Amino acid sequence: RRAPPMTPTANLRTKLSRRDFLQAFLTHSLVGLALYGVVACRVYAAQLRIETVESTCRSIPLFDRCEVTVRIVGPITNPYDPKEASLEGSFRSPQGQSVVIPGFYYQPFTREVSGGRETLQPSGEPAWKIRFTPRQAGRWSYQVILTTPEGSQAVEGQSFLVSASDRHGFLRIDPRQKIFRFETGQPFIPVGEN
């Protein structure tokens, strides 16, 4: 009687020692992983990525708005779905504290009146924005982070200088007196008509 045909793995095992077999198996596995890495890098290159980062905040007064515009290229189905793409800015204060601000997808519009109806029409290219108000004077730095299902990409932005100003900052409720106060401590008394 004839022996059943051997599979290639069984045939390989009979010709190689156990050590040689394991070495060949690991070598082929590593080559396979390397090829997978090359393919994955090429696929990632076609995915979403940060192309440019521009900022309006080279030098701004304290409590003024810093706006960062980020151009992201690549295919995206729904820019409002954070599972598909999310953008955030990590701002570092002069004292080294980090403040993380979420970004948003922005489409500028113009108002038009046509046939007695007001409509909004897209004007210009959509972009991603991050808006931040520094609450300390000094030199700030920031980093923009794009997160997708494929991974994250971080791009360093330029540092900017925040100078002292006569602005009072954000309103808060004083926990001891239950009144409104600005961040600088000055009270705010709202006066208005009902």
Side-chain angles (χ1 to χ4, degrees):
R1 293 177 60 176
R2 279 188 168 177
M6 298 178 107
T7 62
T9 306
N11 193 17
L12 184 63
R13 281 188 192 151
T14 58
K15 292 183 181 177
L16 297 175
S17 70
R18 180 178 214 148
R19 181 174 169 244
D20 291 339
F21 174 76
L22 287 175
Q23 185 176 8
F25 177 77
L26 288 175
T27 302
H28 285 80
S29 297
L30 290 174
V31 168
L33 284 174
L35 288 174
Y36 174 77
V38 168
V39 170
C41 287
R42 287 187 180 159
V43 168
Y44 178 75
Q47 300 300 322
L48 290 177
R49 63 183 170 77
I50 297 173
E51 186 176 63
T52 60
V53 176
E54 297 173 3
S55 169
T56 62
C57 43
R58 302 280 186 258
S59 177
I60 61 172
L62 186 62
F63 300 121
D64 198 5
R65 180 174 72 183
C66 168
E67 184 172 277
V68 178
T69 303
V70 181
R71 179 162 160 69
I72 296 175
V73 294
I76 186 164
T77 306
N78 182 1
Y80 303 104
D81 182 3
K83 292 177 186 170
E84 191 171 343
S86 69
L87 182 73
E88 59 186 23
S90 179
F91 292 82
R92 184 167 296 278
S93 74
Q95 285 74 30
Q97 300 163 326
S98 287
V99 179
V100 177
I101 304 293
F104 58 95
Y105 187 73
Y106 176 78
Q107 170 65 64
F109 285 91
T110 56
R111 294 180 181 185
E112 295 179 1
V113 177
S114 175
R117 290 183 48 193
E118 183 179 56
T119 60
L120 295 175
Q121 298 298 323
S123 65
E125 291 295 316
W128 292 78
K129 304 262 187 189
I130 301 168
R131 291 182 179 153
F132 170 68
T133 300
R135 297 165 58 193
Q136 295 175 14
R139 182 151 302 278
W140 285 75
S141 61
Y142 68 94
Q143 180 181 57
V144 174
I145 302 134
L146 172 66
T147 304
T148 66
E150 288 79 29
S152 294
Q153 178 190 6
V155 174
E156 290 292 326
Q158 293 182 343
S159 64
F160 58 98
L161 184 63
V162 177
S163 57
S165 74
D166 58 354
R167 296 179 182 192
H168 302 294
F170 295 104
L171 280 177
R172 304 280 185 242
I173 296 176
D174 188 328
R176 295 174 309 221
Q177 298 176 341
K178 302 296 183 203
I179 64 170
F180 289 114
R181 287 196 185 275
F182 288 102
E183 270 188 71
T184 56
Q186 181 178 0
F188 172 76
I189 302 169
V191 177
E193 294 181 24
N194 290 334

